[in-house]
Amino acid sequence: MARRLSLARTQPRRRVAPAAAPAPWWRDAVVYQVYLRSFADSDGDGIGDLRGLRQRLPYLSWLGVDAVWINPHYPSGGADGGYDVVDYRAVDPEYGDVSDLEALVDDARRLGLRVVLDVVPNHTSDQHPWFQAALADPDSPEAARYHFAPASAEPPNNWQSLFGGPAWSRTPDGRWYLHLFAPEQPDLNWRDPVVAEDFERTLRFWLDRGVSGFRVDVAYGLYKDAGLRDNPGAYSPTLFGHGPEQAMTWNQPEVHGVWRRWRSICDEYPDTMLVGEVCLADLEQVALYSRPDELHQSLSFRLLKSPWAVAPFAEAISSALDAYGRVGAPVSWVLGNHDKERQVTRFGGGELGTARARAAALLTLALPGSAYLYAGDELGLPQAHVPDEAKQDPIFHRSGGARAGRDGCRVPMPWNPTEGVGFSPDGAAEPWLPIPADWSRYAVSVQTGQGGSTLTLHRRALALRKAHPAFASGSATVTTRGDVLTIRSVDGGEAVRCVVNMGSETVLAGCPGSVLLASTAAVRRSGGTVALPPDSAVWVLED
Ligand code: GLC
């Protein structure tokens, strides 16, 4: 007999009374993540840009997302895909200029879309004027804005860079400086008040140009242990996130003060929001970043690292609902992003991986809270093979090739089945990362209007999510039964279910009501039951 494993994890109801003020847009928004360099190239240099994105905004409106988050657009040293910023209040000429960004924001607003920027407060580029001044003069005020240590035989402590190797490198004059990522990304010293002041200017600079908020890079970083003490253990990329073993480098209590201050700035600009990247293993700690006076959201990465099986998925969902629910924040679900292998590949590749990725998409979009959709995932793109000589990611290079790096999920978007897949205007430009030969079959124009395509599935799911608020803003219950995971959500008089079969046999799930959407045409309804083939999901509206 089937056993009920875990039951009843609920998230507080958002709509308390009909007279309550409408919930802010970000609580249940679907935010589409644009890797700017790879989205659309308007000027034929093989690099995506703001005008290219602007031209494609009607696609995003047609798809049905609510907002666009753009990966860093700033002038950059180019060492880490734009996350090494040289000037926080400018646009890299490769991508356009500030007026292009303003035009993007205006066009987006006309289409009912919001624009969210990426801000990178943990570190700058080594080309940033502050770091250059600090290199030139150890006694300069700029030197106090970074972590320098005097010349000595050994680095000041055992901290490791997340990209491999020690977190300390030497300056030409023999001093040590801290970089928790690449050596070209020196960490800022947030104990210097000038650093905080400068970022507040940056926030206002972009908010004054009409953006709807920021995705905050490495929001669990910024402050370091004041005594720079050794970490108790080593970082492992296989963990859900950082924990006590890295207690000296991450999650220092002082950082919450920064988010309170940033929140108060955003409060001056209606309808803006902050969403933090908080890679901590303990979800209770992650949730603390989205307390009511801090960041509006903190991204929940559990699904990104969960293998395809009921127990880890149920645990990822239930624990996030519990932890975020306790601070009154919506969960911000992430199934894919620019740092992780595409889910088609992660879940097994080929038809198997595609079936699972489609089912996982329905599951994610049925969860209460907001969802982050990474560009290309709506097309079912697999991880692209990028030859080693074309790879750009510092993770690949700093690990001596031991870690594959992130280039394979950053390959340009296929728009149509022409040469160059419509990424650049005439198809002749050499794209900044090579596009696989068979990429045309995933192209937007190929999948548009095709009943069974992954693009159509996403578009339908997004429309249904809007039409049935119970999905995104209901009170959810997570149930497991054998290989079947069910999320049942209730909002007002409406109840909806997402049922996922994560096993290898067809299962019959009892769920009365009408089928709204299925991840495969092989899902069959008969009376009060639904036959779900392996690796499939269905959305049901209860009678
Ligand atoms: C975040 C970004 C990642 C970047 C790192 C350093 O994790 O998502 O792409 O490499 O921060 O800025």
Side-chain angles (χ1 to χ4, degrees), residues 33 35 69 71-72 80-84 118 120 122-123 162-163 180-182 185 215-218 220 277 279 301 337-339 393-395 406 410:
Q33 179 191 352
Y35 200 76
W69 147 37
N71 282 105
D80 182 24
Y83 284 96
D84 47 325
D118 210 315
V120 189
N122 181 69
H123 44 263
L162 290 192
F163 290 169
L180 290 171
F181 294 90
Q185 295 168 296
R215 177 265 189 190
V216 185
D217 191 57
V218 195
Y220 61 116
E277 181 200 32
C279 301
F301 294 118
N337 69 17
H338 66 295
D339 290 330
D393 186 1
I395 289 185
R406 301 164 292 181
R410 299 175 175 182

Side-chain angles (χ1 to χ4, degrees), residues 163 388 391 393-405:
F163 290 169
D388 287 355
K391 283 187 177 167
D393 186 1
I395 289 185
F396 172 75
H397 294 289
R398 277 186 66 76
S399 68
R403 287 165 68 191

Side-chain angles (χ1 to χ4, degrees), residues 36 49-51 54 70 73-75 87-107 115 117 201-211:
L36 191 54
D49 47 47
L50 290 171
R51 285 188 183 195
R54 204 175 141 202
I70 312 172
H73 63 276
Y74 312 98
D87 182 350
Y88 288 86
R89 297 187 282 275
V91 172
D92 193 313
E94 278 184 342
Y95 300 136
D97 58 26
V98 173
S99 67
D100 289 318
L101 200 123
E102 288 169 329
L104 175 81
V105 169
D106 286 348
D107 281 9
V115 175
L117 301 180
R201 274 185 64 201
T202 295
L203 295 185
R204 289 183 190 283
F205 179 88
W206 296 112
L207 289 169
D208 285 339
R209 278 157 184 82
V211 305

Side-chain angles (χ1 to χ4, degrees), residues 215-420:
R215 177 265 189 190
V216 185
D217 191 57
V218 195
Y220 61 116
L222 282 69
Y223 281 87
K224 278 82 194 172
D225 174 60
L228 300 182
R229 288 171 292 173
D230 276 354
N231 265 325
Y235 162 72
S236 161
T238 57
L239 297 172
F240 274 134
H242 302 280
E245 74 289 343
Q246 295 284 293
M248 302 303 156
T249 34
W250 310 110
N251 198 30
Q252 304 300 302
E254 295 94 324
V255 77
H256 292 283
V258 178
W259 308 139
R260 293 199 178 95
R261 177 75 194 123
W262 285 29
R263 177 68 176 247
S264 72
I265 292 171
C266 275
D267 286 346
E268 295 173 33
Y269 294 83
D271 291 335
T272 58
M273 69 112 171
L274 300 162
V275 51
E277 181 200 32
V278 185
C279 301
L280 297 170
D282 180 353
L283 277 179
E284 302 287 334
Q285 288 293 314
V286 175
L288 294 184
Y289 284 75
S290 46
R291 282 177 287 197
D293 61 343
E294 297 197 35
L295 303 172
H296 302 71
Q297 300 185 342
S298 42
L299 296 166
S300 177
F301 294 118
R302 279 287 162 96
L303 293 179
L304 261 181
K305 287 198 168 184
S306 296
W308 184 254
V310 161
F313 264 71
E315 162 63 16
I317 295 166
S318 300
S319 53
L321 289 175
D322 283 351
Y324 287 65
R326 270 194 278 282
V327 299
V331 185
S332 311
W333 305 100
V334 183
L335 193 57
N337 69 17
H338 66 295
D339 290 330
K340 289 285 176 293
E341 194 174 47
R342 293 268 186 194
Q343 52 264 31
V344 167
T345 307
R346 185 156 45 91
F347 293 143
E351 279 182 23
L352 177 75
T354 302
R356 290 176 173 176
R358 289 168 61 106
L362 286 200
L363 173 61
T364 307
L365 292 171
L367 295 172
S370 75
Y372 283 72
L373 174 60
Y374 180 45
D377 281 351
E378 81 277 22
L379 305 176
L381 292 183
Q383 187 79 352
H385 171 73
V386 177
D388 287 355
E389 58 280 10
K391 283 187 177 167
Q392 316 236 351
D393 186 1
I395 289 185
F396 172 75
H397 294 289
R398 277 186 66 76
S399 68
R403 287 165 68 191
R406 301 164 292 181
D407 299 285
C409 64
R410 299 175 175 182
V411 166
M413 278 278 285
W415 291 99
N416 58 51
T418 59
E419 171 148 25

Side-chain angles (χ1 to χ4, degrees), residues 20-105:
W25 68 272
W26 44 266
R27 283 197 76 95
D28 57 8
V30 175
V31 181
Y32 185 91
Q33 179 191 352
V34 165
Y35 200 76
L36 191 54
R37 216 172 170 70
S38 295
F39 196 64
D41 166 23
S42 73
D43 58 4
D45 62 358
I47 296 172
D49 47 47
L50 290 171
R51 285 188 183 195
L53 167 56
R54 204 175 141 202
Q55 287 160 6
R56 296 293 184 182
L57 284 176
Y59 164 69
L60 298 180
S61 154
W62 169 86
L63 181 60
V65 299
D66 302 297
V68 183
W69 147 37
I70 312 172
N71 282 105
H73 63 276
Y74 312 98
S76 153
D80 182 24
Y83 284 96
D84 47 325
V85 177
V86 174
D87 182 350
Y88 288 86
R89 297 187 282 275
V91 172
D92 193 313
E94 278 184 342
Y95 300 136
D97 58 26
V98 173
S99 67
D100 289 318
L101 200 123
E102 288 169 329
L104 175 81
V105 169

Side-chain angles (χ1 to χ4, degrees), residues 146-185:
Y146 295 91
H147 297 274
F148 285 97
S152 61
E154 295 295 323
N157 60 28
N158 71 354
W159 295 0
Q160 295 291 303
S161 153
L162 290 192
F163 290 169
W168 297 91
S169 288
R170 284 184 187 279
T171 60
D173 60 9
R175 287 174 288 159
W176 295 103
Y177 72 92
L178 176 69
H179 56 85
L180 290 171
F181 294 90
E184 297 86 354
Q185 295 168 296

